[in-house]
Structure formats: C-alpha cells, structure tokens
Amino acid sequence: MLKCFNRLVQLCFMIIIIYAGCGKTDILVFSAKNSHKIEQEFRDIPARFGDIIPTEGIKGLVIYSNPSTACQDIKTPPNRTEYSSYNWIVLIARLNCSFEIKVRNAQKAGYNAVIVHNVNSNDLEPMSVKDSTNISIPSVFVSEFTGSFLKDVYSYEEGYFVLINDLPLNFNTHLLLPFAIVVGICFLVIVIFLIVKCIKDRRRQQRHRLPYSSLKKIPTHKYTKGDPYETCAICLEDYVENEKLRVLPCAHAYHTKCIDPWLTKNRRVCPVCKRKVFAADERIETDSESDSDVDDSTPLIRDGTRSGTQGGTFAHQPENPFWRHLHLNQQHHQRHDSQSSNSSYYSTDRPVLNVIESGQTETEVDADSTNNIDATSWTVFLVSDSHSINGEVPDIEKSVSSTNPYTVNLSTDANEHCVSHINHCLVEQHARTVSRPNVIGSLGLSMVSQTCEEADII
Amino acid sequence: MMQFMLLFSRQGKLRLQKWYVAHPDKLKKKITRELITTILARKPKMSSFLEWKDVKVVYKRYASLYFCCAIEQNDNELLTLEIIHRYVELLDKYFGSVCELDIIFNFEKAYFILDELLVGGEIQETSKKNVLKAIAAQDLLQEDEAVEGALREIGLL
Ligand SMILES: [Zn+2]
Ligand SMILES: [Zn+2]
C-alpha cells in the first residue's frame, strides 16, 4: 500500500517537473470576433534577457516592424483608441545586427513585446545578449514559418490578436475549474480508499498478533543447566545460565527478547512448529476467525476439546443448557411461592435428559409423576443420568434400576403447558415402544420436540 | 423426507450429491448452483436453516466443507442437523480424522456410508457401529474380489 502511495507522489512530482522544466512557450492566435477559440498555435522560445513573460501571458496585436530587421529606429505602433486595451507586439526578422539592438529599438519605439523570427531556417534557439541592462520588455524567438504566418495571415489588420503564453499546456481557463474538481475528487477517492485499506490491513495484522496482555500469561523460565532446551531457534545461540526463556504452549522455548517481538509484532505462531500460540485462558478462535487457515486438509471434526457447536445434541456437553434454565426456574419459584414449598426439590447433580427407550418401570414413574401433577399442580419431568442412543450404550437396565429421578419444577405457565404435553407424548411414545421395541431413541425425542412445537403454536 | 443432500467446498465446488427425488439433470444443476451461492453468501453467525423455494434447507459447515440438506416443509430441521452430524461422525470414524481430501479421493466410500445411513431420504440406520460394520464387511468383500481377480488374471485360478 505504501508502495502505491509512493508511486502516486512520484507521478505528481513528475507532472510538476515536466511543467516546470519546459522552457518553451506558445504563441496562441485568437480571432477578435471569437476570443475563446484558438485559431492557431505556434512554438517559440523566450529570450534569456528582458522581462519574463507573465503567467497570464501577453495579449497583443502583431505588427511587422519597418524596417524588418530593426537595426535602425523603427516605426512606432499606430496610435488608435480601439486598440488601447491591447499591447503592441513587434515582429522583427533576424540577421544584420544583434538581438540586443533589435530589442532596444523596439523598446524605444514603445512596443510591449518582441517576436524575432528566424530567416531561412525553422530552428528555434534561445536569444542571448552580452549586455541586458535596461531591457525591460520580454522577447521570444520563433521560426521563419511562424514569422511568415504571423506577418501575412494573423496581423492585427486582419482582426487577430495573439497571446504569448508561458504555459506549456494551454488550459482553457473556463475548463480548468471542472477539470480540477474532477481530479480533486479522484484524488480524494484514492486517498479514502487507501486509508480504509490501511486500516483494514492493520486490523487484520493485529488479529494475527498476540496482544501484550496474553503475552504476559505465557510462562517464562530462567535457564538452568540440565533444562531440556539448548539453542534458541531464532538467534541460534546456546542458552546461558539465568537467561530468561519463554516457553510456548507447544513446549518450544526461545529467548524472551527473541520471541516476544515476533509474537507481538508479527504473528502469534510458534516459529518452529507453526502452531498458534494462545495464553492459558484465551478462547480458541471460532470458525469465523480461523476462516483463513481452513483448507481441504483440515479435519472436519476437530478435537473434542471444543465446546458447543461441533458436537451433536447427544454428545456430552460441558454445560447442560437445561441446567441453567432449571436453576433459574427454581429461584423464581422459591421467590414467589415460598409458602407452597411442599414438593419442590431437585438434586444438584447434573441432570441429563433421558431418552426413553423401553421398560416398564418408566411407565410406573410416569404414572407416579402424573399423580404428582394432580396432587401438587406441578409438572414433574423425568430426567436421569443415562445417556443412550440406540445400539451404542446399552445401559437400559441401568437406566431402569439406577434411575435417580430428579423431579424438576417448571413453574411458568407456558412451560407447564408444553411439558405436560411432553409427558403426554412420552406416554404415547411408550405405547409405541411396546409395540415396536426397536424404535430409535433420537427419533423419539425429535417427535417429542416436534409435538411440543405444535403445542406451542396451539 | 429428505429431497437431496449436497456437499460442497468453501470455494463452491460440489463434492458429493445425493438426490432422493427425480429431477432432470438441468434442474439439478440449476438448483445446485443457486443453493451453493445462496449458502456461501451467508455469514457464519446466521441460522443453519433457511426456507428456500418450496423446501427447507438445513446446512452446516465443517471446516472447509458445507453439508447441505433440503427437506420438506413438515420435516424436522433439528433432526436433519443431527443426521448431518451423524454422517460426519461416521466419515470421521471410517477415515480417521476425515478431511475434505479424503472425501474427494474416496468419494465412493462416502457414498456407501451415506447409503447405509439414509435410504430414500429417510434415516435407516442410526447406529454408527452397525453402519461401520456393514462398510467393513463390504470392504472385505471388495478385497476378496480384487484378490480373486488378480489371481485369475495370472492364471492361478
Ligand atoms: Zn534467541
Ligand atoms: Zn512450537
């Protein structure tokens, strides 16, 4: 990005240099009738003496000198009022005497500028004189071709005036402003784009770096003889007694002074094994962040250490989402119904929702709980420790005998409605299981949840 | 009933397709293309379920692969998600830490496993153990045949 910017600056400089370094000027011929349209354009070279041409140019009428070489005194410009707003420019032929004499004569006659044209040649050369004191009018040199044109076609009698212009490019002034605006807008857009890109780049880089707060949590170690580390892979020096080493989670060690700049200023990876460096309590990045380093050889299922999203519903979860909910409900219930504390209890063990598969006892429990509903107006929800999917963990017997029924209160009305519905479903499910003992647990649950959804809708 | 299942990469390359409804090839291609662009445009935090035309689409991303199923209106999305995960687990068990390359180079095995799991768009075998057993038996059979073929070729049988 910086390279880009540099190039831009270079380009600007180049334009300026071209602009400033071009010594050639232009003679522009305009018709008096249509003063915006350039009729003709001639190259010229300003003299090395006399006044410099003002930036806005010299606007004037061309008159051929008499005599043409101007080695003697020449005729003064015609004194007419309709031309008073114009300068008078005299066109003089080269040869016979020095440029100095010609220009001094023109100045004496009262002309405002001099154009000297070459004779028998179309070459342009800068005019110079030995003594330039007291020459105050500017003068330019043009080719013979230009001279004859100015003399025969574009003289003031034909209704033309000329502009001796110092600009290498003839900007039409009324187009200059829109042009400048367009260029300005383009420039602004480029600058904004670059800034945005710069910020984005920086942010991305920052994400790949290790923040200082995490760096502090990565353990350091004073080197003592007999440690398993020998050489720092960065500076290739053997460790000396009492040197401070940083031991990354991948068990690679480096000098603190070597590895810290790498981790904080470059990337949070171990330089040897390329494993990402995380401080002990740092969250391992989720999919969205590790987007860039996923390729077609990344395992679809990563190690089970990751929580939540990768596991199925029936995989062991580090935290049971039901648990929190139940806990909240319990608190809520205790707060509002402390007087009716008759039958609400629940164990502090982590309850896991049991997928009912088969077994008579469960019906009995079910029936029990149904009684419970009648007695206490609390819906009772059967949960047990067993965790089984058809064909994998055959611990149905266990679930029957060792079921440690947690009776759970769900106090909100909506829940009650839904749960009672589930209960209903469970009973129904049981009926099905009796007739079709191989029915699949997960399907059963899905059916329950589906019916529950329907119940919600109702 | 599941209508079809697509596996495609993050770059939008189709890796596996299984159709449980009959469509002309042209329509299949069209559906595939449109669905892939739709899903790839979604952000990671967005829901895995979307209503797309007259079907419900359930998709999930595993590393570089998107697993995408289209189900009917009255099917359960969560169950479908469960099936997808089960399939991934099966692939993982069979290939051992499965990655996209495994599926690219052994697509027929991936199809076999899928056929053991799903028949006609309905789940047929939920037990991972049974599926793997069936696939292992199949592999054994294939090996036997290969050996037999080789022996016959050199004229020993
Ligand atoms: Zn070092
Ligand atoms: Zn390392």
mmCIF file of all heavy atoms in Angstrom, chain A residues 250 252 254 270 272-273, ligand 2:
data_model
loop_
_atom_site.group_PDB
_atom_site.id
_atom_site.type_symbol
_atom_site.label_atom_id
_atom_site.label_comp_id
_atom_site.label_asym_id
_atom_site.label_seq_id
_atom_site.Cartn_x
_atom_site.Cartn_y
_atom_site.Cartn_z
ATOM 1 N N CYS A 250 3.414 -25.026 22.974
ATOM 2 C CA CYS A 250 3.851 -26.216 22.233
ATOM 3 C C CYS A 250 5.159 -26.757 22.793
ATOM 4 O O CYS A 250 5.764 -27.634 22.198
ATOM 5 C CB CYS A 250 4.005 -25.886 20.767
ATOM 6 S SG CYS A 250 5.055 -24.457 20.489
ATOM 7 N N HIS A 252 8.006 -25.390 22.925
ATOM 8 C CA HIS A 252 9.216 -24.829 22.335
ATOM 9 C C HIS A 252 9.612 -23.585 23.116
ATOM 10 O O HIS A 252 8.750 -22.790 23.458
ATOM 11 C CB HIS A 252 8.972 -24.457 20.871
ATOM 12 C CG HIS A 252 8.867 -25.656 19.996
ATOM 13 N ND1 HIS A 252 7.776 -25.905 19.198
ATOM 14 C CD2 HIS A 252 9.718 -26.683 19.788
ATOM 15 C CE1 HIS A 252 7.961 -27.038 18.544
ATOM 16 N NE2 HIS A 252 9.129 -27.534 18.885
ATOM 17 N N TYR A 254 12.240 -20.144 23.607
ATOM 18 C CA TYR A 254 13.097 -19.174 22.927
ATOM 19 C C TYR A 254 13.513 -18.147 23.947
ATOM 20 O O TYR A 254 12.919 -18.036 25.012
ATOM 21 C CB TYR A 254 12.342 -18.467 21.800
ATOM 22 C CG TYR A 254 11.674 -19.389 20.831
ATOM 23 C CD1 TYR A 254 10.361 -19.803 21.051
ATOM 24 C CD2 TYR A 254 12.346 -19.838 19.707
ATOM 25 C CE1 TYR A 254 9.750 -20.666 20.168
ATOM 26 C CE2 TYR A 254 11.733 -20.693 18.817
ATOM 27 C CZ TYR A 254 10.431 -21.108 19.049
ATOM 28 O OH TYR A 254 9.822 -21.944 18.181
ATOM 29 N N CYS A 270 4.145 -20.314 16.656
ATOM 30 C CA CYS A 270 5.471 -20.756 17.047
ATOM 31 C C CYS A 270 6.328 -20.815 15.783
ATOM 32 O O CYS A 270 5.927 -21.440 14.807
ATOM 33 C CB CYS A 270 5.376 -22.121 17.704
ATOM 34 S SG CYS A 270 6.970 -22.891 17.919
ATOM 35 N N VAL A 272 8.805 -22.508 15.027
ATOM 36 C CA VAL A 272 9.296 -23.837 14.664
ATOM 37 C C VAL A 272 8.150 -24.724 14.172
ATOM 38 O O VAL A 272 8.202 -25.266 13.073
ATOM 39 C CB VAL A 272 10.008 -24.497 15.860
ATOM 40 C CG1 VAL A 272 10.283 -25.959 15.586
ATOM 41 C CG2 VAL A 272 11.302 -23.767 16.150
ATOM 42 N N CYS A 273 7.096 -24.842 14.985
ATOM 43 C CA CYS A 273 6.072 -25.822 14.629
ATOM 44 C C CYS A 273 4.831 -25.175 14.052
ATOM 45 O O CYS A 273 3.892 -25.869 13.687
ATOM 46 C CB CYS A 273 5.702 -26.666 15.837
ATOM 47 S SG CYS A 273 4.948 -25.726 17.154
HETATM 48 ZN ZN ZN C 2 6.413 -24.882 18.646
#
